[in-house]
Amino acid sequence: LPKPKISLTKAHKIANLNRRRVKYTSPRQGDAKVNWRTEMKRIAVGSQSLIKRRAVNDALKDIGIIMAVNSIDVPSGVNPQPVGMEEILQGAKNRALHALEGDSEAHFGIGIENGLLRVDGMTFDLAVIAIMHRDSNHWYFATSPGIVL
């Protein structure tokens, strides 16, 4: 079935609702306070991959957050096919950092790096997602479940 189209008016109302959110203060001491009232937040994704951009957009949509997403072509700084958790994680962190450097208006930088992880004679293909908040310099990490090759 085709997706219903959202009217431009409704999209503006949703964006305005997102801007009017109350202040959110992270429970971690020392983290920056984010005032959702002042402006639309922006994310820089360290990749031109349409799949990675869609993944970020879908994740934001699933949790009900509307943010502008900017894809930036950045180097991962690791091998084209990273092997091992350290190399995969480093590639994701590099992409997130370079994304923030490439977009001075972004509040968050996201790096997504896929690689191979060998455990007990099996090889998994998994992704590591690294998110950095510009103001607090705080990192958030996640992994995909991984697929046995």
Side-chain angles (χ1 to χ4, degrees), residues 11-21 36 40 66:
H12 284 287
K13 285 180 184 176
I14 292 169
N16 285 332
L17 282 174
N18 190 48
R19 288 187 193 121
R20 286 195 296 258
R21 286 188 177 180
W36 291 96
M40 174 74 84
I66 299 171

Side-chain angles (χ1 to χ4, degrees), residues 82-136:
V83 178
M85 185 55 84
E86 293 81 12
E87 190 175 13
I88 303 167
L89 178 62
Q90 190 60 54
K93 288 175 73 174
N94 290 345
R95 287 182 181 277
L97 282 170
H98 291 309
L100 279 175
E101 290 170 1
D103 185 345
S104 62
E105 296 179 22
H107 298 85
F108 297 92
I110 297 182
I112 303 172
E113 188 71 31
N114 279 72
L116 303 177
L117 184 62
R118 294 190 175 105
V119 179
D120 289 337
M122 296 181 287
T123 303
F124 293 84
D125 179 5
L126 83 145
V128 171
I129 301 92
I131 304 170
M132 184 182 185
H133 183 245
R134 181 186 301 277
D135 296 336
S136 68

Side-chain angles (χ1 to χ4, degrees), residues 3-126:
K3 285 186 171 182
K5 291 184 178 179
I6 187 169
S7 72
L8 192 54
T9 305
K10 188 170 183 177
H12 284 287
K13 285 180 184 176
I14 292 169
N16 285 332
L17 282 174
N18 190 48
R19 288 187 193 121
R20 286 195 296 258
R21 286 188 177 180
V22 296
K23 284 186 180 181
Y24 164 76
T25 305
S26 174
R28 285 187 264 309
Q29 193 172 20
D31 275 4
K33 292 181 181 178
V34 179
N35 185 341
W36 291 96
R37 291 181 221 188
T38 57
E39 59 190 77
M40 174 74 84
K41 298 301 174 196
R42 184 170 165 147
I43 291 178
V45 179
S47 176
Q48 289 282 45
S49 166
L50 185 58
I51 294 169
K52 292 178 182 180
R53 183 182 174 125
R54 279 190 186 158
V56 171
N57 280 322
D58 290 348
L60 292 170
K61 183 179 173 185
D62 287 349
I63 59 176
I65 295 176
I66 299 171
M67 288 186 158
V69 178
N70 183 21
S71 293
I72 300 172
D73 190 21
V74 299
S76 68
V78 297
N79 292 316
Q81 181 61 71
V83 178
M85 185 55 84
E86 293 81 12
E87 190 175 13
I88 303 167
L89 178 62
Q90 190 60 54
K93 288 175 73 174
N94 290 345
R95 287 182 181 277
L97 282 170
H98 291 309
L100 279 175
E101 290 170 1
D103 185 345
S104 62
E105 296 179 22
H107 298 85
F108 297 92
I110 297 182
I112 303 172
E113 188 71 31
N114 279 72
L116 303 177
L117 184 62
R118 294 190 175 105
V119 179
D120 289 337
M122 296 181 287
T123 303
F124 293 84
D125 179 5
L126 83 145

